[in-house]
Amino acid sequence: MGRVAQVFVKSLLKERRMVYCSTTVELARQSFCRGLRAFSTAATEAKPSSGVCFELSEEQKEVQELARKFTRDEIIPKAAEYDRTMEYPWDIVKKAWAVGLTNTHIPKHCGGVEMGVFEGCLIAEELAYGCSGIKTAIEGSGLGQTPVIIAGNKEQQKKYLGRLIEEPLVTAYCVTEPGAGSDVNGVKTRAEKKGDDYILNGQKMWITNGGVANWYFVLARTNPDPKCPANKAFSGFIVDRDTPGITPGRKEINMGQRCSDTRGITFEDVRVPKANLLLGEGAGFKIAMGAFDKTRPPVASGATGVARRALDEATKYSLERKTFGVPIANHQAVAFMLADMAISIETARLAYMMAAWQTDNGIRNSYFSSIAKAHAADIANKCVSDAVQVGKCNTTQAL
Amino acid sequence: MNPFDEIAVEEAVRLKEKKIAQEIVAVSCGPAQSQETLRTALAMGVDRGIHVEVSGPEYDTLQPIHVSKILAKLAQDEKADIVIVGKQAIDDDSNQTAQMTAALLDWPQATFASKIEKQNGELQVTREIDGGLETIKVKLPAVVSADLRLNEPRYATLPNIMKAKKKPIKKVSPKDLGVDTAARIEVLSVEDPPTRQAGVILPDVDQLIVKLKEGGHVQ
C-alpha cells in the first residue's frame, strides 16, 4: 500500500474507532480507492450521482416554456402551409436561431450556450409537437455539428461552429449512401490523400439539409484495404458547401416531414484540406458512433412530441364529436385508445430523458438511447395511426 | 406572466434600449412561483427583481388595493420615475392597480397606453378610450398602464434566460413595506352561470309577441 494510502487508512480507522486488523484495513483501502476514482478524469468513469430526480430544474422549465411558446406562436400556425408547399422553412429556422433555440450544444469558447443533450431533447419535443418536418430542419443541423463538437480541435470548432453563431446557417451529416445505411461499414465514398489535401469521391443519399447546408460532416473511407476493420478504415471530414465538385441532387419528396430538405449529394474530386480532418485518419467510425449517442435522444424526444400532438388532437376531437348522444370520448373503445396513447407517450418520455441524462453525466448511453429511439418511433407511429382512427378525416388534416 | 404585464415589461425594456430609462426593476406579489415570473422578466431584459412574498390564505384575498400600496411604497423606496403595469390582470379583470397606485403616490396617470413617447422631460401617451384615441401629456414621475396594442413582447432568448440566472431577486414581505394585507373582502359563494335553457323555434312574429307577453318581458 502506498504511503498516502497508509496515512489515510490509519486516520480513517482512528476516526471510526476501528481496530487495526486485515479486514478493516481492506475496507479502508477500498474507500480510499473509491475516493480516488471519483476524481479520475478517465472518460468512461461516471461522475458521482446525487440520486435520481424526476423534476425539471427551473432553468429546464424556462427552456421548455420558451420552446413551447415559440411552437405555439410561430410553428403551429404555419405548419400546414409548409407541409403543402414542401418549401424549406427558412423564416422559422431563422427565428428559432434568433431566439436561441438552435445550436444549443455549441461550446462556450465559440460563443455558444453549451447546454446538454437533455435540454436539447426538451426543445426537440416541443418543436416536433408543432411540426416534425420543421423540427427536423432545425435538428438535422445539430446532427451535422455533433462530430465537430465531440471530436473537433479548438480551431475547427471556432471556425465552423462560430460561423453558426454569427449567422443563421445550417449543417448536414453525410454518412448514409445508396448502398449503406444501418451498415455504416458499407460506406464506399473514398478520401485519397494527395499532398496536404484529401480528394473525396462518392455518393451520399438521404442527407437532411443536403441542399441548404453551409458545411457538411462527411464520413469517407481513407483505407482502401477491404480487410481493414471498420474502426480504422474511415475518417471524418468537415467539407464546405462551396467546395468545387459538390452537387446536391433533387429534393426528395418525403411521405411525412415534407418541408425537410432531403437530398442525395455527389462528391466529384472534392478537395478537402488536411486541417478539416477530424481527430486523425481512421477515427471516423468512432466519431460517427459517438455522434449517434448524442443525437438519438433528441430524435426520440421528437417522436414523443409528435405522439403527444396526436393525443391532444384526438382528445380534443373526441370531446367535441358526438355519437349516440354523447362525446365519443365516453365510448370505451375510444377511451381505451386515448389511455394507451397516454401510456406510450409517458414511457417514451422517461426513456429519452434517461438516455439524455446518461450522456450528459458522462455515462455511455448507447443501450438506453437505442431503446428510447426505437420505442419512441414505434409509439409515435401507433399514436398517429390511432389518432386518425379516432378523428377520421378531421384529425388527418391536423397531422 | 399576465399578458398585459408582459407588454408592460416589453415597453420598459424598449425605453431602456432607447436610453430613456436607466434601470428596470420588476415586482411580483405572490407565492414562490412568482419568482419564475420574475425570471421571465429578467430574461426579457429587466435588471433586477423584487419578490413580495404573499402566500396561502393571505394570497387568496390579495386585492388591487393591497398591491397598489405595495407598489407605491416600492416606487418611493426605489425612487422610480415611471411605474408601468399591465392595464388589468386576466384572472380578476379589475383594472384598478394603476389608478390606485397613482392616487396613493399623488402622481399623474396615463392608462390604456397604446403609444409612449418622451418629450421635453414629459411623457406623451396615446390612450385607447371608448371614443377612439386620446393623446395626453403627463409630467414625470407618472404611472402608466399598458394596453394590448402598445407593443408585441419579445421572446426571452435562451442566452438571456441563462444570463438572467445571475440577476438578483430581492425577497421582501408586505410587513417589511408597512402594508397590511388583511382581507377586505369575503368570498360568499362561487357558482357556475346557470346552464343555458333550450330555445324554442317560433313560426312567426305574432307567436313571438305572445311568448314575450306570457313571460312578462313585454307589456
Side-chain angles (χ1 to χ4, degrees):
Chain A
M1 205 196 302
R3 183 84 185 92
V4 177
Q6 274 186 350
V7 171
F8 173 84
V9 165
K10 282 212 172 107
S11 67
L12 181 66
L13 293 178
K14 188 171 166 196
E15 190 192 295
R16 297 189 182 177
R17 295 179 221 269
M18 288 158 92
V19 171
Y20 192 92
C21 73
S22 59
T23 319
T24 53
V25 165
E26 181 51 37
L27 285 172
R29 190 192 66 79
Q30 284 183 19
S31 166
F32 177 62
C33 291
R34 264 201 297 277
L36 266 188
R37 266 207 297 277
F39 296 132
S40 139
T41 51
T44 48
E45 291 290 336
K47 290 205 195 106
S49 162
S50 53
V52 192
C53 175
F54 288 88
E55 169 115 49
L56 298 182
S57 73
E58 241 197 62
E59 183 181 292
Q60 287 165 342
K61 282 189 199 154
E62 285 177 53
V63 169
Q64 187 188 54
E65 189 50 46
L66 174 64
R68 198 164 281 182
K69 187 167 180 222
F70 183 84
T71 301
R72 195 178 56 227
D73 297 341
E74 305 291 340
I75 299 185
I76 293 182
K78 301 210 185 95
E81 180 65 21
Y82 277 112
D83 185 77
R84 192 181 64 79
T85 62
M86 299 194 289
E87 214 186 294
Y88 191 77
W90 267 120
D91 74 329
I92 298 183
V93 170
K94 286 184 177 155
K95 277 195 189 141
W97 173 86
V99 165
L101 288 170
T102 62
N103 305 332
T104 50
H105 309 304
I106 292 185
K108 291 201 174 110
H109 77 89
C110 306
V113 292
E114 206 170 323
M115 282 191 142
V117 171
F118 195 96
E119 286 76 15
C121 285
L122 293 176
I123 296 173
E125 185 185 332
E126 298 305 322
L127 297 180
Y129 183 92
C131 169
S132 96
I134 294 175
K135 171 256 175 198
T136 302
I138 294 172
E139 281 296 314
S141 179
L143 178 56
Q145 298 165 33
T146 307
V148 181
I149 293 173
I150 61 174
N153 61 37
K154 287 259 173 348
E155 287 76 33
Q156 291 164 334
Q157 288 182 339
K158 265 214 169 67
K159 180 172 180 195
Y160 286 100
L161 300 176
R163 204 186 276 182
L164 304 174
I165 299 285
E166 281 159 32
E167 282 180 69
L169 303 169
V170 296
T171 73
Y173 182 90
C174 301
V175 167
T176 305
E177 298 185 352
S182 302
D183 177 23
V184 176
N185 197 7
V187 159
K188 288 202 167 52
T189 301
R190 3 176 255 294
E192 288 153 330
K193 191 132 198 267
K194 261 207 177 103
D196 264 356
D197 298 336
Y198 288 86
I199 310 293
L200 266 57
N201 273 289
Q203 268 263 323
K204 294 291 182 188
M205 191 55 185
W206 312 121
I207 306 304
T208 302
N209 288 342
V212 292
N214 176 266
W215 54 264
Y216 307 125
F217 164 78
V218 182
L219 190 74
R221 202 176 177 105
T222 31
N223 190 324
D225 179 2
K227 290 211 200 71
C228 181
N231 61 359
K232 290 203 179 72
F234 298 97
S235 304
F237 298 91
I238 307 170
V239 182
D240 278 291
R241 164 75 181 88
D242 55 11
T243 315
I246 299 180
T247 315
R250 60 144 198 253
K251 177 186 146 58
E252 299 294 333
I253 298 176
N254 302 328
M255 197 169 95
Q257 300 190 11
R258 285 150 54 90
C259 68
S260 172
D261 183 278
T262 317
R263 298 183 196 243
I265 307 181
T266 310
F267 293 86
E268 252 179 285
D269 292 331
V270 176
R271 185 171 284 269
V272 179
K274 189 172 71 173
N276 282 19
L277 171 65
L278 284 166
L279 277 189
E281 268 187 49
F285 192 76
K286 188 177 81 172
I287 298 173
M289 293 301 113
F292 286 149
D293 283 347
K294 298 268 176 203
T295 55
R296 266 188 223 106
V299 172
S301 73
T304 312
V306 169
R308 201 177 98 215
R309 180 74 184 277
L311 173 60
D312 285 355
E313 294 292 338
T315 310
K316 197 166 83 146
Y317 183 77
S318 68
L319 291 170
E320 289 165 357
R321 167 80 173 165
K322 286 197 174 141
T323 57
F324 305 103
V326 293
I328 60 173
N330 286 26
H331 301 309
Q332 278 198 333
V334 174
F336 288 164
M337 279 169 87
L338 296 175
D340 286 337
M341 279 196 243
I343 294 171
S344 61
I345 292 165
E346 298 299 337
T347 49
R349 184 172 301 120
L350 289 170
Y352 85 65
M353 283 189 170
M354 167 76 155
W357 176 89
Q358 279 190 320
T359 190
D360 285 340
N361 281 282
I363 303 170
R364 178 103 185 272
N365 73 342
S366 315
Y367 177 67
F368 275 100
S369 65
S370 306
I371 288 174
K373 185 176 172 202
H375 181 56
D378 282 345
I379 64 105
N381 209 343
K382 180 143 205 314
C383 284
V384 169
S385 159
D386 285 348
V388 168
Q389 236 207 78
V390 168
K392 297 290 184 288
C393 312
N394 286 6
T395 323
T396 325
Q397 285 285 318
L399 293 169
Chain B
M1 197 189 296
N2 180 37
F4 293 110
D5 290 331
E6 220 178 330
I7 296 173
V9 170
E10 172 63 27
E11 195 60 24
V13 176
R14 288 190 191 189
L15 287 175
K16 186 168 175 209
E17 284 168 350
K18 288 188 212 153
K19 306 234 195 293
I20 295 171
Q22 274 175 314
E23 193 196 20
I24 314 171
V25 183
V27 178
S28 189
C29 308
Q33 289 96 297
S34 299
Q35 296 224 17
E36 285 173 31
T37 311
L38 285 172
R39 290 262 167 242
T40 310
L42 292 171
M44 284 172 73
V46 164
D47 296 299
R48 53 189 171 87
I50 298 178
H51 172 210
V52 182
E53 182 134 36
V54 183
S55 47
E58 207 189 357
Y59 183 62
D60 291 335
T61 52
L62 194 70
Q63 288 284 291
I65 183 74
H66 303 120
V67 177
S68 314
K69 287 183 177 170
I70 291 170
L71 292 181
K73 182 71 172 51
L74 285 170
Q76 283 167 328
D77 289 346
E78 297 285 337
K79 299 202 182 25
D81 296 298
I82 302 176
V83 171
I84 183 164
V85 297
K87 72 171 180 183
Q88 64 199 55
I90 58 172
D91 49 14
D92 58 15
D93 277 336
S94 294
N95 184 5
Q96 296 172 1
T97 307
Q99 294 85 338
M100 286 201 265
T101 309
L104 289 166
L105 287 165
D106 198 25
W107 287 6
Q109 57 181 265
T111 51
F112 315 119
S114 67
K115 191 154 154 205
I116 304 177
E117 285 162 320
K118 182 145 185 266
Q119 281 179 7
N120 309 323
E122 294 181 333
L123 287 183
Q124 183 164 297
V125 181
T126 306
R127 310 174 57 223
E128 294 199 8
I129 59 171
D130 287 345
L133 295 172
E134 179 190 59
T135 308
I136 60 170
K137 260 199 286 222
V138 285
K139 292 199 175 88
L140 292 171
V143 175
V144 181
S145 81
D147 208 328
L148 189 63
R149 280 158 281 273
L150 178 59
N151 60 46
E152 177 101 29
R154 66 193 62 194
Y155 289 108
T157 68
L158 219 115
N160 284 348
I161 288 175
M162 303 201 57
K163 282 190 209 138
K165 283 197 299 189
K166 301 199 185 85
K167 293 186 185 174
I169 294 183
K170 189 166 83 170
K171 226 170 32 176
V172 297
S173 75
K175 240 194 333 214
D176 297 336
L177 302 169
V179 175
D180 174 19
T181 50
R184 295 163 74 112
I185 56 163
E186 189 190 321
V187 176
L188 295 173
S189 76
V190 180
E191 290 155 15
D192 280 337
T195 36
R196 195 175 154 172
Q197 300 299 312
V200 179
I201 297 184
L202 300 166
D204 54 37
V205 176
D206 292 326
Q207 272 297 302
L208 173 63
I209 295 175
V210 166
K211 282 275 178 195
L212 287 172
K213 281 191 176 154
E214 274 173 21
H217 306 292
V218 147
Q219 246 118 44

